[in-house]
Amino acid sequence: MSEPAQKSFPTSARVVIVGGGVMGCGVAYHLAHEGWTDIVLLEKAELTSGSTWHAAGQITHSTSSFALGKCVDYNIGLYSGALEAETGQSVTWYGCGSFRLAYSEDEMDWLRHTLSVGRTLGFNIELVGPERVAELHPFYNLEGVIGALNTPDDGHVDPSGITQALATGARQLGARIIRRCRATDIKQLDSGEWKVFTEQGDITCEHVVNAGGT
Ligand SMILES: Cc1cc2nc3c(=O)[nH]c(=O)nc-3n(C[C@H](O)[C@H](O)[C@H](O)COP(=O)(O)OP(=O)(O)OC[C@H]3O[C@@H](n4cnc5c(N)ncnc54)[C@H](O)[C@@H]3O)c2cc1C
């Protein structure tokens, strides 16, 4: 149900987040955990009604960037138990592990690079030949495969469940989430604060986060 505009619509907040996908709800959850609980999140439709709803939800340790690798590793911890335990909201984590296959020497170079990033970050990651893939996953078509990265701690989640769980966690710490409320404009005031114009009223805030997706 959308919140009644007349009575309780907030006129100020420390942070206004525009967009209730995994990004907006994730920002709300993590800001709230950092003690920034005076948050209003605006969603023009329903939570997870953007790209998040369509995502496959694959989470992998196979990444070529240290920063992304650290994020993914943190996510695996959060999604595989901590978030569900905190909020009571199921996220359907399925820790199936995964392979990343190489069909050429160039792709093998990329896997070696990814391996070095993963090892430096302490991930459970190994470079294996096709025979090991066949052993672990007999249904793979390995024609042309010359090597693979095996990342056993990978998994997949229901992205909607994750988003709802992050929203629940944020709400539990005091964040307000207002659905069916489109942000229509954002202007900076002389004071340096921001005014977010919405379908239900205006909110003055210190920070605006645009998590409206693509
Ligand atoms: C088919 C598919 C498969 C994918 N698979 C994976 C995967 O396996 N792993 C992975 O990590 N990623 C995957 N992704 C990518 C992932 O889905 C996106 O990166 C992620 O969902 C983006 O989240 P978001 O919160 O930025 O955007 P969105 O989920 O699009 O959220 C934006 C929200 O903002 C709202 N909004 C927009 N404008 C306004 C406004 N003016 N006022 C109020 N609200 C507004 C929208 O209604 C929407 O709910 C996949 C994506 C697709 C499409």
Side-chain angles (χ1 to χ4, degrees):
M1 240 168 63
S2 58
E3 298 205 11
Q6 312 86 322
K7 273 195 211 151
S8 61
F9 191 81
T11 53
S12 68
R14 188 166 190 186
V15 189
V16 170
I17 299 168
V18 180
V22 71
M23 196 55 71
C25 292
V27 169
Y29 172 88
H30 288 96
L31 281 180
H33 270 276
E34 292 294 326
W36 284 33
T37 52
D38 184 14
I39 298 168
V40 175
L41 184 148
L42 305 169
E43 166 53 50
K44 70 180 163 73
E46 294 296 334
L47 297 182
T48 84
S49 58
S51 300
T52 298
W53 186 83
H54 300 273
Q58 295 173 24
I59 319 286
T60 176
H61 266 146
S62 186
T63 160
S64 307
S65 135
F66 286 93
L68 190 59
K70 291 204 84 134
C71 288
V72 167
D73 194 49
Y74 165 77
N75 280 340
I76 289 176
L78 190 65
Y79 297 167
S80 64
L83 187 60
E84 199 164 315
E86 177 188 340
T87 63
Q89 165 75 45
S90 165
V91 302
T92 61
W93 166 261
Y94 184 62
C96 51
S98 70
F99 295 111
R100 198 141 294 218
L101 306 179
Y103 294 84
S104 69
E105 272 308 316
D106 283 347
E107 287 177 344
M108 282 300 288
D109 276 347
W110 175 59
L111 294 192
R112 286 184 199 104
H113 169 71
T114 307
L115 178 71
S116 72
V117 173
R119 275 191 178 153
T120 305
L121 290 170
F123 297 166
N124 189 9
I125 186 168
E126 59 172 351
L127 192 56
V128 297
E131 61 294 336
R132 178 69 178 142
V133 179
E135 218 178 287
L136 291 166
H137 197 313
F139 300 120
Y140 250 106
N141 176 358
L142 294 166
E143 200 180 328
V145 171
I146 59 175
L149 266 188
N150 177 25
T151 40
D153 296 338
D154 291 2
H156 58 84
V157 286
D158 161 27
S160 298
I162 287 288
T163 308
Q164 296 292 355
L166 291 166
T168 299
R171 279 195 197 98
Q172 283 171 347
L173 293 171
R176 284 195 62 184
I177 295 179
I178 305 180
R179 293 173 294 137
R180 298 183 207 161
C181 182
R182 182 188 300 264
T184 52
D185 202 358
I186 300 168
K187 284 205 162 52
Q188 191 162 27
L189 306 174
D190 291 339
S191 62
E193 293 174 306
W194 297 87
K195 185 170 260 197
V196 181
F197 299 83
T198 86
E199 292 174 334
Q200 296 187 26
D202 307 336
I203 310 173
T204 304
C205 58
E206 287 175 30
H207 304 276
V208 185
V209 178
N210 179 358
T214 44

